[in-house]
Amino acid sequence: MRHLVFGSLALCLAALPAMADDAGQAAFGQYCATCHGADAKGAGPLGQLISIPIPDLTQLNARNDGVFPMLDVIHVIDGRTGVRAHEQPMPVYGAVFKSRLSEIGPYAAEIAVRGEVLSIAYYLESIQE
């Protein structure tokens, strides 16, 4: 019985990155694609209205010596830490995500926000060229 439990747990843990990529892709499509484009290359429909170039998010590894800057990406998406990689601030998605979850309480909402931000970051890591 113990082997069955540990085996099931191992399978669930192995599936987490793929599930995060799926959830991250959906969240990216809903929140980020309007500026960054569905392909994350910076050609979203609102890009014409923004005065600064929209970055190609498929080139983050290339711009960082082949290493995905996970913590920087998380900080930029979340936006609540004051870290900004844009000349003009992009929406503070950590606050946006948290405002949707106020009914579950502050601690649970914070955990859910971090999960959603991490899912988007994992998705971006998975599409690096």
Side-chain angles (χ1 to χ4, degrees), residues 5 10 14-15 20-21 24 26 55 57 71-73 75-77 86-87 94 107 111 113 124-125 129:
V5 170
D21 287 352
L57 300 179
L71 187 58
D72 292 339
V73 169
H75 283 165
V76 169
I77 296 167
H86 301 77
E87 290 176 30
Y107 298 113
I111 291 168
V113 167
L124 291 174
E125 184 179 39
E129 295 179 348

Side-chain angles (χ1 to χ4, degrees), residues 29-94:
Q30 182 173 1
Y31 296 103
C32 312
T34 53
C35 292
H36 291 282
D39 62 359
K41 292 184 180 276
L46 290 182
Q48 298 171 0
L49 304 175
I50 298 174
S51 62
I52 60 170
I54 307 293
D56 179 346
L57 300 179
T58 67
Q59 297 299 311
L60 295 172
N61 281 2
R63 291 194 303 264
N64 290 283
D65 299 321
V67 177
F68 186 77
M70 182 63 79
L71 187 58
D72 292 339
V73 169
I74 289 169
H75 283 165
V76 169
I77 296 167
D78 184 84
R80 296 177 293 168
T81 60
V83 175
R84 289 281 180 218
H86 301 77
E87 290 176 30
Q88 296 175 341
M90 69 178 231
V92 178
Y93 281 110

Side-chain angles (χ1 to χ4, degrees), residues 1-10:
M1 180 67 166
R2 186 172 14 168
H3 295 293
L4 179 63
V5 170
F6 286 121
S8 297
L9 181 60

